[in-house]
PDB file of all heavy atoms in Angstrom:
ATOM      1  N   VAL A  57     -81.119 -35.880-133.017  1.00 98.00           N
ATOM      2  CA  VAL A  57     -81.050 -37.257-133.529  1.00 98.00           C
ATOM      3  C   VAL A  57     -82.213 -38.088-132.974  1.00 98.00           C
ATOM      4  O   VAL A  57     -82.880 -38.816-133.717  1.00 98.00           O
ATOM      5  CB  VAL A  57     -79.698 -37.905-133.172  1.00 98.00           C
ATOM      6  CG1 VAL A  57     -79.675 -39.371-133.595  1.00 98.00           C
ATOM      7  CG2 VAL A  57     -78.545 -37.144-133.838  1.00 98.00           C
ATOM      8  N   VAL A  58     -82.468 -37.964-131.672  1.00 98.00           N
ATOM      9  CA  VAL A  58     -83.547 -38.752-131.067  1.00 98.00           C
ATOM     10  C   VAL A  58     -84.893 -38.370-131.686  1.00 98.00           C
ATOM     11  O   VAL A  58     -85.710 -39.237-132.025  1.00 98.00           O
ATOM     12  CB  VAL A  58     -83.561 -38.563-129.532  1.00 98.00           C
ATOM     13  CG1 VAL A  58     -84.828 -39.169-128.923  1.00 98.00           C
ATOM     14  CG2 VAL A  58     -82.315 -39.193-128.912  1.00 98.00           C
ATOM     15  N   ALA A  59     -85.131 -37.086-131.864  1.00 98.00           N
ATOM     16  CA  ALA A  59     -86.412 -36.636-132.446  1.00 98.00           C
ATOM     17  C   ALA A  59     -86.581 -37.185-133.857  1.00 98.00           C
ATOM     18  O   ALA A  59     -87.675 -37.590-134.251  1.00 98.00           O
ATOM     19  CB  ALA A  59     -86.470 -35.107-132.452  1.00 98.00           C
ATOM     20  N   LYS A  60     -85.478 -37.231-134.602  1.00 98.00           N
ATOM     21  CA  LYS A  60     -85.556 -37.784-135.963  1.00 98.00           C
ATOM     22  C   LYS A  60     -85.787 -39.293-135.921  1.00 98.00           C
ATOM     23  O   LYS A  60     -86.531 -39.838-136.740  1.00 98.00           O
ATOM     24  CB  LYS A  60     -84.268 -37.433-136.723  1.00 98.00           C
ATOM     25  CG  LYS A  60     -84.339 -37.639-138.230  1.00 98.00           C
ATOM     26  CD  LYS A  60     -83.128 -36.974-138.907  1.00 98.00           C
ATOM     27  CE  LYS A  60     -82.922 -37.427-140.350  1.00 98.00           C
ATOM     28  NZ  LYS A  60     -84.032 -37.064-141.253  1.00 98.00           N
ATOM     29  N   MET A  61     -85.177 -39.957-134.927  1.00 98.00           N
ATOM     30  CA  MET A  61     -85.426 -41.399-134.784  1.00 98.00           C
ATOM     31  C   MET A  61     -86.903 -41.666-134.488  1.00 98.00           C
ATOM     32  O   MET A  61     -87.486 -42.632-134.981  1.00 98.00           O
ATOM     33  CB  MET A  61     -84.558 -41.988-133.660  1.00 98.00           C
ATOM     34  CG  MET A  61     -83.079 -42.084-134.010  1.00 98.00           C
ATOM     35  SD  MET A  61     -82.070 -42.709-132.629  1.00 98.00           S
ATOM     36  CE  MET A  61     -82.468 -44.462-132.675  1.00 98.00           C
ATOM     37  N   TRP A  62     -87.508 -40.822-133.663  1.00 98.00           N
ATOM     38  CA  TRP A  62     -88.931 -40.989-133.331  1.00 98.00           C
ATOM     39  C   TRP A  62     -89.835 -40.766-134.543  1.00 98.00           C
ATOM     40  O   TRP A  62     -90.948 -41.278-134.590  1.00 98.00           O
ATOM     41  CB  TRP A  62     -89.336 -39.985-132.245  1.00 98.00           C
ATOM     42  CG  TRP A  62     -88.869 -40.316-130.857  1.00 98.00           C
ATOM     43  CD1 TRP A  62     -88.351 -41.501-130.404  1.00 98.00           C
ATOM     44  CD2 TRP A  62     -88.887 -39.441-129.725  1.00 98.00           C
ATOM     45  NE1 TRP A  62     -88.054 -41.401-129.069  1.00 98.00           N
ATOM     46  CE2 TRP A  62     -88.375 -40.152-128.624  1.00 98.00           C
ATOM     47  CE3 TRP A  62     -89.290 -38.107-129.530  1.00 98.00           C
ATOM     48  CZ2 TRP A  62     -88.251 -39.596-127.354  1.00 98.00           C
ATOM     49  CZ3 TRP A  62     -89.168 -37.544-128.276  1.00 98.00           C
ATOM     50  CH2 TRP A  62     -88.651 -38.285-127.189  1.00 98.00           C
ATOM     51  N   SER A  63     -89.322 -39.961-135.497  1.00 98.00           N
ATOM     52  CA  SER A  63     -90.182 -39.501-136.593  1.00 98.00           C
ATOM     53  C   SER A  63     -89.982 -40.261-137.889  1.00 98.00           C
ATOM     54  O   SER A  63     -90.849 -40.237-138.754  1.00 98.00           O
ATOM     55  CB  SER A  63     -89.896 -38.018-136.879  1.00 98.00           C
ATOM     56  OG  SER A  63     -89.944 -37.267-135.706  1.00 98.00           O
ATOM     57  N   ASP A  64     -88.816 -40.869-138.050  1.00 98.00           N
ATOM     58  CA  ASP A  64     -88.415 -41.361-139.371  1.00 98.00           C
ATOM     59  C   ASP A  64     -87.936 -42.816-139.220  1.00 98.00           C
ATOM     60  O   ASP A  64     -86.813 -43.073-138.780  1.00 98.00           O
ATOM     61  CB  ASP A  64     -87.290 -40.442-139.876  1.00 98.00           C
ATOM     62  CG  ASP A  64     -86.720 -40.856-141.223  1.00 98.00           C
ATOM     63  OD1 ASP A  64     -86.932 -42.018-141.645  1.00 98.00           O
ATOM     64  OD2 ASP A  64     -86.035 -40.015-141.838  1.00 98.00           O
ATOM     65  N   PRO A  65     -88.793 -43.790-139.579  1.00 98.00           N
ATOM     66  CA  PRO A  65     -88.456 -45.204-139.336  1.00 98.00           C
ATOM     67  C   PRO A  65     -87.162 -45.651-140.016  1.00 98.00           C
ATOM     68  O   PRO A  65     -86.407 -46.439-139.423  1.00 98.00           O
ATOM     69  CB  PRO A  65     -89.663 -45.957-139.912  1.00 98.00           C
ATOM     70  CG  PRO A  65     -90.779 -44.969-139.911  1.00 98.00           C
ATOM     71  CD  PRO A  65     -90.149 -43.622-140.116  1.00 98.00           C
ATOM     72  N   ALA A  66     -86.881 -45.164-141.214  1.00 98.00           N
ATOM     73  CA  ALA A  66     -85.655 -45.579-141.899  1.00 98.00           C
ATOM     74  C   ALA A  66     -84.423 -45.052-141.148  1.00 98.00           C
ATOM     75  O   ALA A  66     -83.425 -45.757-140.969  1.00 98.00           O
ATOM     76  CB  ALA A  66     -85.658 -45.073-143.343  1.00 98.00           C
ATOM     77  N   PHE A  67     -84.516 -43.805-140.683  1.00 98.00           N
ATOM     78  CA  PHE A  67     -83.419 -43.204-139.913  1.00 98.00           C
ATOM     79  C   PHE A  67     -83.254 -43.929-138.575  1.00 98.00           C
ATOM     80  O   PHE A  67     -82.127 -44.202-138.131  1.00 98.00           O
ATOM     81  CB  PHE A  67     -83.719 -41.719-139.693  1.00 98.00           C
ATOM     82  CG  PHE A  67     -82.653 -40.980-138.935  1.00 98.00           C
ATOM     83  CD1 PHE A  67     -81.490 -40.568-139.571  1.00 98.00           C
ATOM     84  CD2 PHE A  67     -82.805 -40.699-137.581  1.00 98.00           C
ATOM     85  CE1 PHE A  67     -80.497 -39.883-138.867  1.00 98.00           C
ATOM     86  CE2 PHE A  67     -81.818 -40.023-136.873  1.00 98.00           C
ATOM     87  CZ  PHE A  67     -80.663 -39.615-137.527  1.00 98.00           C
ATOM     88  N   HIS A  68     -84.369 -44.261-137.954  1.00 98.00           N
ATOM     89  CA  HIS A  68     -84.364 -44.998-136.692  1.00 98.00           C
ATOM     90  C   HIS A  68     -83.589 -46.310-136.845  1.00 98.00           C
ATOM     91  O   HIS A  68     -82.692 -46.641-136.047  1.00 98.00           O
ATOM     92  CB  HIS A  68     -85.822 -45.262-136.293  1.00 98.00           C
ATOM     93  CG  HIS A  68     -86.010 -46.104-135.071  1.00 98.00           C
ATOM     94  ND1 HIS A  68     -86.232 -47.457-135.138  1.00 98.00           N
ATOM     95  CD2 HIS A  68     -86.005 -45.791-133.746  1.00 98.00           C
ATOM     96  CE1 HIS A  68     -86.366 -47.940-133.910  1.00 98.00           C
ATOM     97  NE2 HIS A  68     -86.219 -46.957-133.050  1.00 98.00           N
ATOM     98  N   LYS A  69     -83.902 -47.036-137.918  1.00 98.00           N
ATOM     99  CA  LYS A  69     -83.245 -48.316-138.161  1.00 98.00           C
ATOM    100  C   LYS A  69     -81.743 -48.123-138.408  1.00 98.00           C
ATOM    101  O   LYS A  69     -80.899 -48.863-137.878  1.00 98.00           O
ATOM    102  CB  LYS A  69     -83.912 -48.967-139.386  1.00 98.00           C
ATOM    103  CG  LYS A  69     -83.536 -50.403-139.600  1.00 98.00           C
ATOM    104  CD  LYS A  69     -84.360 -50.994-140.748  1.00 98.00           C
ATOM    105  CE  LYS A  69     -83.771 -52.353-141.126  1.00 98.00           C
ATOM    106  NZ  LYS A  69     -84.213 -52.792-142.443  1.00 98.00           N
ATOM    107  N   MET A  70     -81.422 -47.089-139.184  1.00 98.00           N
ATOM    108  CA  MET A  70     -80.021 -46.787-139.487  1.00 98.00           C
ATOM    109  C   MET A  70     -79.242 -46.476-138.195  1.00 98.00           C
ATOM    110  O   MET A  70     -78.119 -46.949-137.992  1.00 98.00           O
ATOM    111  CB  MET A  70     -79.981 -45.586-140.436  1.00 98.00           C
ATOM    112  CG  MET A  70     -78.620 -45.065-140.739  1.00 98.00           C
ATOM    113  SD  MET A  70     -77.829 -46.058-142.005  1.00 98.00           S
ATOM    114  CE  MET A  70     -78.585 -45.345-143.460  1.00 98.00           C
ATOM    115  N   MET A  71     -79.825 -45.696-137.314  1.00 98.00           N
ATOM    116  CA  MET A  71     -79.127 -45.315-136.079  1.00 98.00           C
ATOM    117  C   MET A  71     -78.901 -46.527-135.181  1.00 98.00           C
ATOM    118  O   MET A  71     -77.877 -46.635-134.517  1.00 98.00           O
ATOM    119  CB  MET A  71     -79.929 -44.256-135.307  1.00 98.00           C
ATOM    120  CG  MET A  71     -79.919 -42.885-135.925  1.00 98.00           C
ATOM    121  SD  MET A  71     -78.260 -42.173-136.100  1.00 98.00           S
ATOM    122  CE  MET A  71     -78.011 -42.397-137.833  1.00 98.00           C
ATOM    123  N   LEU A  72     -79.856 -47.443-135.176  1.00 98.00           N
ATOM    124  CA  LEU A  72     -79.689 -48.621-134.315  1.00 98.00           C
ATOM    125  C   LEU A  72     -78.685 -49.611-134.899  1.00 98.00           C
ATOM    126  O   LEU A  72     -78.002 -50.322-134.153  1.00 98.00           O
ATOM    127  CB  LEU A  72     -81.033 -49.318-134.089  1.00 98.00           C
ATOM    128  CG  LEU A  72     -82.061 -48.545-133.251  1.00 98.00           C
ATOM    129  CD1 LEU A  72     -83.301 -49.406-133.033  1.00 98.00           C
ATOM    130  CD2 LEU A  72     -81.496 -48.101-131.907  1.00 98.00           C
ATOM    131  N   ASN A  73     -78.576 -49.649-136.237  1.00 97.00           N
ATOM    132  CA  ASN A  73     -77.740 -50.686-136.862  1.00 97.00           C
ATOM    133  C   ASN A  73     -76.355 -50.220-137.276  1.00 97.00           C
ATOM    134  O   ASN A  73     -75.393 -50.969-137.120  1.00 97.00           O
ATOM    135  CB  ASN A  73     -78.457 -51.269-138.088  1.00 97.00           C
ATOM    136  CG  ASN A  73     -79.720 -52.014-137.681  1.00 97.00           C
ATOM    137  OD1 ASN A  73     -79.770 -52.615-136.606  1.00 97.00           O
ATOM    138  ND2 ASN A  73     -80.740 -51.948-138.512  1.00 97.00           N
ATOM    139  N   ASP A  74     -76.261 -49.034-137.851  1.00 97.00           N
ATOM    140  CA  ASP A  74     -74.994 -48.601-138.452  1.00 97.00           C
ATOM    141  C   ASP A  74     -74.972 -47.074-138.539  1.00 97.00           C
ATOM    142  O   ASP A  74     -75.113 -46.507-139.615  1.00 97.00           O
ATOM    143  CB  ASP A  74     -74.874 -49.237-139.854  1.00 97.00           C
ATOM    144  CG  ASP A  74     -73.516 -48.969-140.472  1.00 97.00           C
ATOM    145  OD1 ASP A  74     -72.582 -48.577-139.733  1.00 97.00           O
ATOM    146  OD2 ASP A  74     -73.403 -49.117-141.700  1.00 97.00           O
ATOM    147  N   PRO A  75     -74.802 -46.410-137.392  1.00 98.00           N
ATOM    148  CA  PRO A  75     -75.062 -44.966-137.368  1.00 98.00           C
ATOM    149  C   PRO A  75     -73.921 -44.062-137.841  1.00 98.00           C
ATOM    150  O   PRO A  75     -74.168 -42.908-138.157  1.00 98.00           O
ATOM    151  CB  PRO A  75     -75.325 -44.695-135.882  1.00 98.00           C
ATOM    152  CG  PRO A  75     -74.494 -45.714-135.166  1.00 98.00           C
ATOM    153  CD  PRO A  75     -74.526 -46.943-136.048  1.00 98.00           C
ATOM    154  N   THR A  78     -73.852 -41.837-141.197  1.00 98.00           N
ATOM    155  CA  THR A  78     -74.933 -40.838-141.192  1.00 98.00           C
ATOM    156  C   THR A  78     -74.629 -39.723-140.194  1.00 98.00           C
ATOM    157  O   THR A  78     -74.822 -38.539-140.486  1.00 98.00           O
ATOM    158  CB  THR A  78     -76.273 -41.519-140.848  1.00 98.00           C
ATOM    159  OG1 THR A  78     -76.477 -42.600-141.759  1.00 98.00           O
ATOM    160  CG2 THR A  78     -77.425 -40.535-140.955  1.00 98.00           C
ATOM    161  N   PHE A  94     -76.512 -46.559-130.008  1.00 98.00           N
ATOM    162  CA  PHE A  94     -77.774 -46.076-129.444  1.00 98.00           C
ATOM    163  C   PHE A  94     -78.469 -47.228-128.730  1.00 98.00           C
ATOM    164  O   PHE A  94     -78.610 -48.318-129.305  1.00 98.00           O
ATOM    165  CB  PHE A  94     -78.687 -45.546-130.554  1.00 98.00           C
ATOM    166  CG  PHE A  94     -78.177 -44.280-131.178  1.00 98.00           C
ATOM    167  CD1 PHE A  94     -77.288 -44.318-132.251  1.00 98.00           C
ATOM    168  CD2 PHE A  94     -78.572 -43.046-130.690  1.00 98.00           C
ATOM    169  CE1 PHE A  94     -76.806 -43.149-132.829  1.00 98.00           C
ATOM    170  CE2 PHE A  94     -78.097 -41.864-131.264  1.00 98.00           C
ATOM    171  CZ  PHE A  94     -77.204 -41.924-132.333  1.00 98.00           C
ATOM    172  N   VAL A  95     -78.885 -47.015-127.499  1.00 98.00           N
ATOM    173  CA  VAL A  95     -79.605 -48.052-126.744  1.00 98.00           C
ATOM    174  C   VAL A  95     -80.987 -47.505-126.426  1.00 98.00           C
ATOM    175  O   VAL A  95     -81.137 -46.425-125.863  1.00 98.00           O
ATOM    176  CB  VAL A  95     -78.823 -48.495-125.485  1.00 98.00           C
ATOM    177  CG1 VAL A  95     -77.562 -49.245-125.902  1.00 98.00           C
ATOM    178  CG2 VAL A  95     -78.456 -47.349-124.571  1.00 98.00           C
ATOM    179  N   GLU A  96     -81.997 -48.267-126.830  1.00 98.00           N
ATOM    180  CA  GLU A  96     -83.355 -47.745-126.859  1.00 98.00           C
ATOM    181  C   GLU A  96     -84.179 -48.247-125.681  1.00 98.00           C
ATOM    182  O   GLU A  96     -84.228 -49.454-125.423  1.00 98.00           O
ATOM    183  CB  GLU A  96     -84.001 -48.185-128.174  1.00 98.00           C
ATOM    184  CG  GLU A  96     -85.299 -47.510-128.473  1.00 98.00           C
ATOM    185  CD  GLU A  96     -85.766 -47.812-129.897  1.00 98.00           C
ATOM    186  OE1 GLU A  96     -85.631 -48.966-130.345  1.00 98.00           O
ATOM    187  OE2 GLU A  96     -86.262 -46.898-130.540  1.00 98.00           O
ATOM    188  N   ASN A  97     -84.826 -47.320-125.004  1.00 98.00           N
ATOM    189  CA  ASN A  97     -85.743 -47.710-123.926  1.00 98.00           C
ATOM    190  C   ASN A  97     -87.036 -48.275-124.520  1.00 98.00           C
ATOM    191  O   ASN A  97     -87.432 -47.914-125.621  1.00 98.00           O
ATOM    192  CB  ASN A  97     -86.081 -46.512-123.046  1.00 98.00           C
ATOM    193  CG  ASN A  97     -84.899 -46.080-122.196  1.00 98.00           C
ATOM    194  OD1 ASN A  97     -83.918 -46.815-122.068  1.00 98.00           O
ATOM    195  ND2 ASN A  97     -84.990 -44.898-121.622  1.00 98.00           N
ATOM    196  N   VAL A 169     -81.876 -43.753-126.036  1.00 99.00           N
ATOM    197  CA  VAL A 169     -83.013 -43.219-126.781  1.00 99.00           C
ATOM    198  C   VAL A 169     -84.236 -43.368-125.881  1.00 99.00           C
ATOM    199  O   VAL A 169     -84.729 -44.484-125.680  1.00 99.00           O
ATOM    200  CB  VAL A 169     -83.224 -43.986-128.106  1.00 99.00           C
ATOM    201  CG1 VAL A 169     -84.388 -43.384-128.888  1.00 99.00           C
ATOM    202  CG2 VAL A 169     -81.942 -43.991-128.928  1.00 99.00           C
ATOM    203  N   PRO A 170     -84.710 -42.261-125.297  1.00 98.00           N
ATOM    204  CA  PRO A 170     -85.856 -42.386-124.390  1.00 98.00           C
ATOM    205  C   PRO A 170     -87.125 -42.739-125.166  1.00 98.00           C
ATOM    206  O   PRO A 170     -87.173 -42.610-126.384  1.00 98.00           O
ATOM    207  CB  PRO A 170     -85.962 -40.986-123.766  1.00 98.00           C
ATOM    208  CG  PRO A 170     -85.284 -40.066-124.723  1.00 98.00           C
ATOM    209  CD  PRO A 170     -84.239 -40.874-125.439  1.00 98.00           C
TER     210      PRO A 170
END
Side-chain angles (χ1 to χ4, degrees):
Chain A
V57 175
V58 170
K60 194 168 165 64
M61 288 177 76
W62 285 347
S63 309
D64 178 343
F67 181 79
H68 175 264
K69 192 174 169 198
M70 174 81 81
M71 287 301 104
L72 292 184
N73 294 327
D74 187 16
T78 305
F94 291 88
V95 292
E96 191 170 41
N97 289 346
V169 182

